[in-house]
Amino acid sequence: MSCALLTGNSWYTSTTHDRKSKSYVVSKNNKVYLRHNCFSEDIPVVIAMKAMGCQSDKEVLMLACSSDEAYQEKFGLSLEEAARLGVFTTNQALHYVGVRVKAGIKKQIGLKRIPTEDALEALASIVLAHVPVENGDFRPKAIYTATMTRRVLAVMVDPTQVDDRDYVGNKRLEL
């Protein structure tokens, strides 16, 4: 996982035996979003985490920010955006995400289905594909998303926290 210089983006390239994809957690207008090319637009990270099974705003806040007040203050706008969009429950979040799954992906996933099924399938098998979802348990994936979100919040609070994957100090050397 890496944070891009100045933009406050965190990304991870997932590789499984079936697919390779890049997932992003990005900041725009002091709000945090989940970006993947299977979605037609960026998904607010609070809504994505609720779609992954987080039950409340407090749970999302604790996963992403812990007890750090500076992070909580920066994350407040993202929580407010989910409320402004009228997404309060897991089912509402799944519907929000499912409507934004691209049509080409829907064809790959299966024939006509309801948006919540499209969202579950996209989140389980495409977004952060290297994190397994076993028996419908998205908890590990929600925790990984929260970790990526925390990295973006760290850069939003203190821009010196940026790490650059091209910097030689971040390279692994084979001896």
Side-chain angles (χ1 to χ4, degrees):
M1 177 176 8
S2 184
C3 281
L5 189 59
L6 296 177
T7 59
N9 298 338
S10 177
W11 69 86
Y12 192 87
T13 302
S14 299
T15 306
T16 64
H17 62 281
D18 292 339
R19 67 177 33 111
K20 180 177 179 181
S21 68
K22 196 177 244 187
S23 302
Y24 300 84
V25 173
V26 300
S27 63
K28 289 191 313 191
N29 302 323
N30 289 322
K31 298 174 192 162
V32 185
Y33 296 89
L34 176 68
R35 176 184 295 164
H36 194 279
N37 64 359
C38 71
F39 300 128
S40 59
E41 63 186 68
D42 294 346
I43 307 294
V45 77
V46 173
I47 294 174
M49 289 178 68
K50 284 185 178 188
M52 292 179 198
C54 293
Q55 298 295 319
S56 66
D57 288 345
K58 184 173 182 174
E59 183 180 3
V60 172
L61 185 69
M62 286 296 112
L63 281 174
C65 303
S66 189
S67 59
D68 191 313
E69 289 183 22
Y71 289 7
Q72 289 178 357
E73 186 177 321
K74 285 288 184 184
F75 198 59
L77 287 175
S78 297
L79 288 168
E80 289 173 8
E81 182 179 25
R84 183 181 56 78
L85 292 170
V87 178
F88 301 102
T89 66
T90 300
N91 199 30
Q92 289 171 333
L94 285 170
H95 183 75
Y96 182 92
V97 172
V99 168
R100 285 152 183 83
V101 172
K102 286 185 179 174
I105 302 299
K106 289 180 183 182
K107 287 180 184 175
Q108 290 176 2
I109 293 173
L111 298 175
K112 290 187 176 186
R113 298 192 326 186
I114 58 174
T116 55
E117 291 176 355
D118 292 334
L120 283 170
E121 188 62 33
L123 290 172
S125 63
I126 299 173
V127 176
L128 295 172
H130 70 287
V131 180
V133 175
E134 296 174 0
N135 299 322
D137 181 21
F138 282 88
R139 187 73 177 172
K141 201 167 282 216
I143 291 170
Y144 199 90
T145 303
T147 303
M148 292 175 71
T149 301
R150 188 174 303 131
R151 292 287 301 272
V152 171
L153 291 170
V155 172
M156 289 171 70
V157 170
D158 181 11
T160 63
Q161 294 291 318
V162 171
D163 63 349
D164 184 5
R165 71 178 182 168
D166 295 329
Y167 172 63
V168 73
N170 291 331
K171 300 291 183 186
R172 292 190 181 130
L173 300 176
E174 276 188 45
L175 299 177

